[in-house]
Amino acid sequence: MTGLPDQLRRPVRGMRDWMPQQLYALRRMEEVLSSVAEQYGYRRVETPVVEHFEVLAKKAGQEVINEIYYFRDKAGRELGLRFDMTVPIARVLSYNLDLPRPVRWYYFSKVFRYDEPQHGRYREFFQFGVELIGSASPRADAEVIQLLAASLEAAGASKYVIRINDRRAVDKLLESLGALSHRDAVYRALDKKLKLPREEVIGIMTSGGVSRDAAEKIYDTASEMSLDEAVEVLRRLDGRLGEAYAKFVKYLEAAVPMERFKFDMSIVRGLDYYTGVVFEAFVGDYWLAVGGGGRYDDLLELYSGVKIPALGFAIGVERLMEAVGLQSVEKPLDYYIYIFDDDAYKHAVALANRLRKQGHSVVVELGEKNLKDVFEYVLKIGTRYLVLIGRKELEKGVVKIRDLQKREEVEVPLSALLS
Ligand code: AMP
């Protein structure tokens, strides 16, 4: 057999095709998540997948810049595919500064990253997320995290935890230890804390210039604790930060059960644009990282020249679908109409159109299959009713309807179906 070689039959590396059942599962997830965002008063936005490379690169950090799909168009413009929705939305805000703030937006969109593909890691994937733009209030932090928890629950995640940190707390800690100038190394090390043994994490810090003593202190302070315990730690680090944090915890407590949350200084998150609270959600028996977000009070100024505080989160949709076991949704055909005789075609079409008007999905046989093949075919594609229109039946003015689930057959007057 000739045709394309196998590797060209498959999608481009890191990308995937969505067969109907999978696509219906994706759409169901889209409906569920969108309706949660809508209930919280968020409205949906979309932007082009292609952005000016400069816009994408502005606040991405080198690691993310390396992952940008970059190209020049025929006019020589330097362009790239969006790697998240936060940056495009920041750009949209920059020329819509008269929008009444706070702005509450959500998205369910494709993003692209030239990542190393592996299980749960694609180069083209969907993100669902929200942005709350124009508020510095700790209530805004609590609202967005509440919305993240509500999204996970609506998606069917019964087991999840949201780990919360505040980059300012980490910075205060570093300041108190005289290690602020080694912030990058510390962030890199903390980011690995859940995956690597203690010595290796400390090693990343010391080889980045942090003293052994400070690295150990940082490691030990960055252990998991309750949000209430964190308030005390933050108070000791910085009075004002501690007070703001206490308020945030109070607001969050009012909205969501506290056992869903942990304070964890090792949650620093990769993207360079975070400035305050950061958080990450883990779901299921394997604690799959399905999403995260945080406050990015400086990002909008980079694009608009105006300081506008904001925060948001993004959920990796494919990951969440995997975590909650939503992989495919069957959508059987309602009616398949088979005619034994070409003369009956007009009756078949009239009946099909009638049923379609009532909202049913209907297929009329194309005349290439015998009855045995049709039976096999309708079962394979998933069908509820097979309608048989034969000459004898037509003379009697009836059709046969076979319920393929119940395996029953009834005769129904055609006039009753058409009226
Ligand atoms: P981030 O924008 O990096 O914070 O990512 C938010 C979420 O998107 C992550 O928690 C993942 O669930 C998902 N995600 C990130 N990168 C990928 C990828 N390459 N493939 C699939 N999902 C991803």
mmCIF file of all heavy atoms in Angstrom, residues 298-324:
data_model
loop_
_atom_site.group_PDB
_atom_site.id
_atom_site.type_symbol
_atom_site.label_atom_id
_atom_site.label_comp_id
_atom_site.label_asym_id
_atom_site.label_seq_id
_atom_site.Cartn_x
_atom_site.Cartn_y
_atom_site.Cartn_z
ATOM 1 N N ASP A 298 2.676 43.887 37.860
ATOM 2 C CA ASP A 298 3.507 44.741 36.998
ATOM 3 C C ASP A 298 3.332 44.468 35.515
ATOM 4 O O ASP A 298 3.810 45.223 34.675
ATOM 5 C CB ASP A 298 4.995 44.540 37.337
ATOM 6 C CG ASP A 298 5.290 44.895 38.783
ATOM 7 O OD1 ASP A 298 4.537 45.723 39.349
ATOM 8 O OD2 ASP A 298 6.251 44.334 39.344
ATOM 9 N N LEU A 299 2.660 43.380 35.190
ATOM 10 C CA LEU A 299 2.614 42.966 33.780
ATOM 11 C C LEU A 299 1.883 43.980 32.907
ATOM 12 O O LEU A 299 2.356 44.340 31.819
ATOM 13 C CB LEU A 299 1.936 41.595 33.661
ATOM 14 C CG LEU A 299 1.902 41.025 32.245
ATOM 15 C CD1 LEU A 299 3.296 40.638 31.781
ATOM 16 C CD2 LEU A 299 0.989 39.812 32.147
ATOM 17 N N LEU A 300 0.729 44.457 33.352
ATOM 18 C CA LEU A 300 -0.065 45.339 32.500
ATOM 19 C C LEU A 300 0.650 46.656 32.217
ATOM 20 O O LEU A 300 0.512 47.217 31.137
ATOM 21 C CB LEU A 300 -1.445 45.564 33.118
ATOM 22 C CG LEU A 300 -2.312 44.345 32.821
ATOM 23 C CD1 LEU A 300 -2.959 43.786 34.044
ATOM 24 C CD2 LEU A 300 -3.330 44.663 31.757
ATOM 25 N N GLU A 301 1.450 47.117 33.176
ATOM 26 C CA GLU A 301 2.182 48.365 32.975
ATOM 27 C C GLU A 301 3.173 48.236 31.820
ATOM 28 O O GLU A 301 3.384 49.184 31.066
ATOM 29 C CB GLU A 301 2.918 48.743 34.268
ATOM 30 C CG GLU A 301 3.514 50.131 34.210
ATOM 31 C CD GLU A 301 4.122 50.569 35.540
ATOM 32 O OE1 GLU A 301 4.189 49.741 36.472
ATOM 33 O OE2 GLU A 301 4.528 51.741 35.620
ATOM 34 N N LEU A 302 3.740 47.060 31.677
ATOM 35 C CA LEU A 302 4.686 46.834 30.586
ATOM 36 C C LEU A 302 4.047 47.057 29.229
ATOM 37 O O LEU A 302 4.689 47.482 28.277
ATOM 38 C CB LEU A 302 5.172 45.385 30.623
ATOM 39 C CG LEU A 302 6.317 45.051 31.546
ATOM 40 C CD1 LEU A 302 6.492 43.560 31.579
ATOM 41 C CD2 LEU A 302 7.578 45.696 31.048
ATOM 42 N N TYR A 303 2.766 46.739 29.136
ATOM 43 C CA TYR A 303 2.083 46.855 27.851
ATOM 44 C C TYR A 303 1.363 48.181 27.701
ATOM 45 O O TYR A 303 1.264 48.721 26.610
ATOM 46 C CB TYR A 303 1.088 45.693 27.698
ATOM 47 C CG TYR A 303 1.801 44.372 27.581
ATOM 48 C CD1 TYR A 303 1.994 43.564 28.679
ATOM 49 C CD2 TYR A 303 2.324 43.960 26.356
ATOM 50 C CE1 TYR A 303 2.682 42.365 28.586
ATOM 51 C CE2 TYR A 303 3.019 42.768 26.245
ATOM 52 C CZ TYR A 303 3.198 41.976 27.374
ATOM 53 O OH TYR A 303 3.888 40.805 27.273
ATOM 54 N N SER A 304 0.827 48.707 28.806
ATOM 55 C CA SER A 304 -0.049 49.876 28.696
ATOM 56 C C SER A 304 0.576 51.143 29.250
ATOM 57 O O SER A 304 0.064 52.228 29.027
ATOM 58 C CB SER A 304 -1.346 49.600 29.463
ATOM 59 O OG SER A 304 -1.061 49.460 30.843
ATOM 60 N N GLY A 305 1.668 51.019 29.990
ATOM 61 C CA GLY A 305 2.270 52.196 30.603
ATOM 62 C C GLY A 305 1.545 52.619 31.874
ATOM 63 O O GLY A 305 1.930 53.576 32.523
ATOM 64 N N VAL A 306 0.463 51.915 32.217
ATOM 65 C CA VAL A 306 -0.307 52.260 33.416
ATOM 66 C C VAL A 306 -0.232 51.085 34.383
ATOM 67 O O VAL A 306 -0.384 49.931 33.963
ATOM 68 C CB VAL A 306 -1.800 52.501 33.055
ATOM 69 C CG1 VAL A 306 -2.566 53.018 34.266
ATOM 70 C CG2 VAL A 306 -1.921 53.455 31.887
ATOM 71 N N LYS A 307 -0.025 51.399 35.663
ATOM 72 C CA LYS A 307 0.046 50.299 36.623
ATOM 73 C C LYS A 307 -1.364 49.807 36.945
ATOM 74 O O LYS A 307 -2.201 50.567 37.422
ATOM 75 C CB LYS A 307 0.749 50.757 37.895
ATOM 76 C CG LYS A 307 1.083 49.601 38.815
ATOM 77 C CD LYS A 307 2.139 49.970 39.853
ATOM 78 C CE LYS A 307 2.247 48.943 40.957
ATOM 79 N NZ LYS A 307 2.811 47.658 40.558
ATOM 80 N N ILE A 308 -1.625 48.558 36.629
ATOM 81 C CA ILE A 308 -2.951 47.972 36.895
ATOM 82 C C ILE A 308 -2.741 46.624 37.563
ATOM 83 O O ILE A 308 -2.230 45.687 36.945
ATOM 84 C CB ILE A 308 -3.753 47.776 35.580
ATOM 85 C CG1 ILE A 308 -3.873 49.099 34.817
ATOM 86 C CG2 ILE A 308 -5.137 47.203 35.876
ATOM 87 C CD1 ILE A 308 -4.475 48.957 33.426
ATOM 88 N N PRO A 309 -3.127 46.500 38.833
ATOM 89 C CA PRO A 309 -2.951 45.215 39.510
ATOM 90 C C PRO A 309 -3.896 44.162 38.921
ATOM 91 O O PRO A 309 -4.991 44.497 38.475
ATOM 92 C CB PRO A 309 -3.319 45.514 40.971
ATOM 93 C CG PRO A 309 -4.220 46.704 40.896
ATOM 94 C CD PRO A 309 -3.795 47.506 39.696
ATOM 95 N N ALA A 310 -3.460 42.921 38.913
ATOM 96 C CA ALA A 310 -4.293 41.867 38.313
ATOM 97 C C ALA A 310 -3.854 40.501 38.794
ATOM 98 O O ALA A 310 -2.724 40.327 39.257
ATOM 99 C CB ALA A 310 -4.188 41.932 36.788
ATOM 100 N N LEU A 311 -4.765 39.559 38.693
ATOM 101 C CA LEU A 311 -4.355 38.172 38.898
ATOM 102 C C LEU A 311 -5.258 37.232 38.105
ATOM 103 O O LEU A 311 -6.295 37.657 37.586
ATOM 104 C CB LEU A 311 -4.330 37.774 40.382
ATOM 105 C CG LEU A 311 -5.596 37.264 41.073
ATOM 106 C CD1 LEU A 311 -5.208 36.395 42.237
ATOM 107 C CD2 LEU A 311 -6.452 38.433 41.543
ATOM 108 N N GLY A 312 -4.823 35.972 38.015
ATOM 109 C CA GLY A 312 -5.617 35.003 37.267
ATOM 110 C C GLY A 312 -5.085 33.608 37.482
ATOM 111 O O GLY A 312 -4.120 33.403 38.215
ATOM 112 N N PHE A 313 -5.780 32.651 36.855
ATOM 113 C CA PHE A 313 -5.257 31.286 36.857
ATOM 114 C C PHE A 313 -5.482 30.658 35.496
ATOM 115 O O PHE A 313 -6.306 31.144 34.711
ATOM 116 C CB PHE A 313 -5.898 30.425 37.960
ATOM 117 C CG PHE A 313 -7.353 30.056 37.734
ATOM 118 C CD1 PHE A 313 -7.727 29.113 36.776
ATOM 119 C CD2 PHE A 313 -8.349 30.641 38.501
ATOM 120 C CE1 PHE A 313 -9.065 28.777 36.575
ATOM 121 C CE2 PHE A 313 -9.693 30.312 38.307
ATOM 122 C CZ PHE A 313 -10.045 29.380 37.334
ATOM 123 N N ALA A 314 -4.741 29.593 35.216
ATOM 124 C CA ALA A 314 -4.950 28.813 34.007
ATOM 125 C C ALA A 314 -4.949 27.337 34.370
ATOM 126 O O ALA A 314 -4.110 26.883 35.147
ATOM 127 C CB ALA A 314 -3.849 29.086 32.992
ATOM 128 N N ILE A 315 -5.925 26.617 33.812
ATOM 129 C CA ILE A 315 -5.989 25.169 33.997
ATOM 130 C C ILE A 315 -5.633 24.516 32.669
ATOM 131 O O ILE A 315 -6.119 24.944 31.620
ATOM 132 C CB ILE A 315 -7.415 24.746 34.418
ATOM 133 C CG1 ILE A 315 -7.716 25.195 35.852
ATOM 134 C CG2 ILE A 315 -7.601 23.235 34.288
ATOM 135 C CD1 ILE A 315 -9.135 24.899 36.313
ATOM 136 N N GLY A 316 -4.779 23.504 32.709
ATOM 137 C CA GLY A 316 -4.492 22.724 31.511
ATOM 138 C C GLY A 316 -5.651 21.761 31.292
ATOM 139 O O GLY A 316 -5.859 20.845 32.086
ATOM 140 N N VAL A 317 -6.413 21.988 30.232
ATOM 141 C CA VAL A 317 -7.676 21.266 30.065
ATOM 142 C C VAL A 317 -7.451 19.767 29.859
ATOM 143 O O VAL A 317 -8.121 18.939 30.489
ATOM 144 C CB VAL A 317 -8.486 21.865 28.891
ATOM 145 C CG1 VAL A 317 -9.744 21.047 28.648
ATOM 146 C CG2 VAL A 317 -8.845 23.316 29.191
ATOM 147 N N GLU A 318 -6.476 19.400 29.007
ATOM 148 C CA GLU A 318 -6.221 17.972 28.767
ATOM 149 C C GLU A 318 -5.823 17.271 30.064
ATOM 150 O O GLU A 318 -6.234 16.140 30.327
ATOM 151 C CB GLU A 318 -5.121 17.780 27.718
ATOM 152 C CG GLU A 318 -5.535 18.148 26.296
ATOM 153 C CD GLU A 318 -5.350 19.619 25.985
ATOM 154 O OE1 GLU A 318 -5.195 20.421 26.937
ATOM 155 O OE2 GLU A 318 -5.372 19.980 24.797
ATOM 156 N N ARG A 319 -5.000 17.953 30.860
ATOM 157 C CA ARG A 319 -4.576 17.372 32.141
ATOM 158 C C ARG A 319 -5.758 17.172 33.070
ATOM 159 O O ARG A 319 -5.870 16.154 33.738
ATOM 160 C CB ARG A 319 -3.604 18.312 32.844
ATOM 161 C CG ARG A 319 -2.312 18.400 32.148
ATOM 162 C CD ARG A 319 -1.170 17.905 33.006
ATOM 163 N NE ARG A 319 0.035 18.226 32.285
ATOM 164 C CZ ARG A 319 0.957 19.030 32.729
ATOM 165 N NH1 ARG A 319 0.851 19.556 33.924
ATOM 166 N NH2 ARG A 319 2.004 19.299 31.997
ATOM 167 N N LEU A 320 -6.627 18.174 33.148
ATOM 168 C CA LEU A 320 -7.780 18.064 34.039
ATOM 169 C C LEU A 320 -8.690 16.932 33.569
ATOM 170 O O LEU A 320 -9.200 16.156 34.372
ATOM 171 C CB LEU A 320 -8.541 19.396 34.072
ATOM 172 C CG LEU A 320 -9.773 19.434 34.973
ATOM 173 C CD1 LEU A 320 -9.408 19.105 36.425
ATOM 174 C CD2 LEU A 320 -10.447 20.810 34.917
ATOM 175 N N MET A 321 -8.862 16.830 32.240
ATOM 176 C CA MET A 321 -9.712 15.756 31.708
ATOM 177 C C MET A 321 -9.141 14.402 32.083
ATOM 178 O O MET A 321 -9.874 13.477 32.428
ATOM 179 C CB MET A 321 -9.848 15.894 30.189
ATOM 180 C CG MET A 321 -10.725 17.076 29.806
ATOM 181 S SD MET A 321 -10.714 17.410 28.041
ATOM 182 C CE MET A 321 -11.672 16.051 27.423
ATOM 183 N N GLU A 322 -7.831 14.306 32.031
ATOM 184 C CA GLU A 322 -7.209 13.037 32.412
ATOM 185 C C GLU A 322 -7.403 12.784 33.911
ATOM 186 O O GLU A 322 -7.769 11.677 34.326
ATOM 187 C CB GLU A 322 -5.718 13.053 32.069
ATOM 188 C CG GLU A 322 -5.129 11.700 32.367
ATOM 189 C CD GLU A 322 -3.641 11.611 32.161
ATOM 190 O OE1 GLU A 322 -3.071 12.467 31.451
ATOM 191 O OE2 GLU A 322 -3.050 10.658 32.711
ATOM 192 N N ALA A 323 -7.206 13.815 34.696
ATOM 193 C CA ALA A 323 -7.284 13.651 36.153
ATOM 194 C C ALA A 323 -8.681 13.220 36.605
ATOM 195 O O ALA A 323 -8.818 12.479 37.568
ATOM 196 C CB ALA A 323 -6.876 14.942 36.846
ATOM 197 N N VAL A 324 -9.713 13.705 35.907
ATOM 198 C CA VAL A 324 -11.072 13.352 36.328
ATOM 199 C C VAL A 324 -11.661 12.223 35.482
ATOM 200 O O VAL A 324 -12.822 11.847 35.647
ATOM 201 C CB VAL A 324 -12.024 14.573 36.313
ATOM 202 C CG1 VAL A 324 -11.504 15.666 37.229
ATOM 203 C CG2 VAL A 324 -12.264 15.092 34.908
#
